[in-house]
């Protein structure tokens, strides 16, 4: 299949524009001359994004204000855009929700199994702690929530497809984490930590569906996979686990790759706006600032407590 040059100048519907990565990337796109429609969950968040971009010298982006899991809100937000049928769009899917749904009950169990106050005779072994936490992760409520969000994003893609907004010049972009890493040729191969599996499963389901739809409809699809971003909610969550486990289970091995927010945004911006010759459908591994690889690096192999 033919290669693509840089991102087309068609408007960008950016869902997740208020996320920790979405906001600076939205700013870069606006300052590069793109018309961005910023998807957020509230008017307050939209105003914050608009204010930051305006202060940097850019044009305030339009808003797409909706809870992505609320079909009525999504339809209302879409209708408010007043787009003509067959108006080409680019679509960025960067929703940042999901982790909070597992933090509560997993956090309580982690506190219980890693507490230094527990009498040694009552403390679970690392194997026992792993078993109890992995059982919690498999709870239906966690998987159901993340699949609900995935289904909602797929519904939005279908809405745009039906109305002719995703054509040959359109690019759909997703951002995945090494915490939800997968093999595009064998999606059942999961490289991430077990405690993140429900979120990872939902994200991989979305990515694989988008790959199929891109092949059917001809739009471009790029899935950027990056290490855990330093300072984000998930990075703090994982680091807290590592710190606690190191105290109680010194035999546990810990390794998960990270990247700074600045390096990730710089790399994705550069790859989208400057790099030609990319495959029309592909996975792009973010290794560092302006450093992208089409293949997954072996250094990303994760060793993690309760894997």
């Amino acid at each position: 299949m033919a290669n693509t040059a840089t991102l087309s100048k068609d408007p960008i519907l950016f869902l997740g524009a208020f996320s920790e990565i979405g906001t600076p990337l939205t700013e870069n796109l606006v300052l590069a001359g793109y018309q961005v429609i910023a998807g957020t969950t509230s008017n307050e968040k939209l105003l914050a994004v608009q204010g930051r971009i305006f202060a940097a010298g850019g044009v305030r982006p339009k808003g797409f204000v909706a809870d992505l899991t609320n079909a009525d809100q999504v339809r209302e937000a879409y209708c408010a855009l007043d787009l003509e049928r067959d108006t080409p769009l680019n679509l960025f899917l960067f929703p940042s929700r999901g982790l909070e749904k597992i933090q509560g009950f997993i956090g309580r169990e982690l506190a219980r199994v890693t507490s230094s106050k527990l009498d040694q005779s009552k403390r679970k072994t690392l194997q026992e702690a792993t078993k109890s936490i992995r059982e919690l992760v498999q709870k239906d409520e966690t998987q159901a929530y993340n699949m609900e969000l995935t289904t909602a994003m797929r519904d939005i893609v279908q809405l745009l497809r039906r109305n002719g907004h995703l054509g040959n010049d359109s690019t759909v972009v997703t951002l995945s984490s090494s915490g939800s890493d997968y093999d595009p040729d064998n999606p059942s191969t999961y490289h991430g930590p077990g405690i993140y599996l429900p979120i990872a499963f939902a994200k991989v389901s979305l990515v694989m569906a988008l790959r199929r739809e891109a092949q059917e409809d001809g739009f471009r699809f790029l899935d950027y996979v990056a290490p855990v971003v330093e300072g984000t909610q998930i990075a703090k969550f994982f680091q807290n686990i590592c710190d606690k486990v190191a105290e109680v289970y010194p035999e546990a091995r810990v390794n998960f790759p990270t990247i700074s927010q600045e390096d990730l945004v710089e790399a994705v911006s550069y790859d989208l706006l400057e790099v030609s010759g990319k495959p029309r459908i592909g996975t792009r591994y973010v290794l560092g600032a302006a450093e992208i690889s089409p293949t997954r690096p072996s250094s990303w192999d994760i060793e993690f407590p309760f894997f």
Side-chain angles (χ1 to χ4, degrees), residues 123-155:
R123 185 174 297 155
K124 291 184 176 181
T125 66
L126 180 61
Q127 290 74 24
E128 291 170 337
T130 299
K131 182 175 183 295
S132 64
I133 288 174
R134 293 186 73 174
E135 287 173 350
L136 279 174
V137 170
Q138 299 306 316
K139 281 185 176 293
D140 290 342
E141 62 181 282
T142 304
Q143 296 196 42
Y145 171 79
N146 288 290
M147 288 308 298
E148 179 184 19
L149 185 58
T150 295
T151 300
M153 287 189 287
R154 289 194 63 187
D155 288 346

Side-chain angles (χ1 to χ4, degrees), residues 205-234:
S205 298
L206 173 66
V207 168
M208 297 310 295
L210 288 171
R211 289 176 72 95
R212 290 193 299 270
E213 289 159 3
Q215 291 168 345
E216 293 171 3
D217 286 8
F219 61 82
R220 296 184 288 256
F221 173 62
L222 298 173
D223 178 37
Y224 288 92
V225 181
V228 175
V229 181
E230 298 165 2
T232 57
Q233 185 184 29
I234 185 173

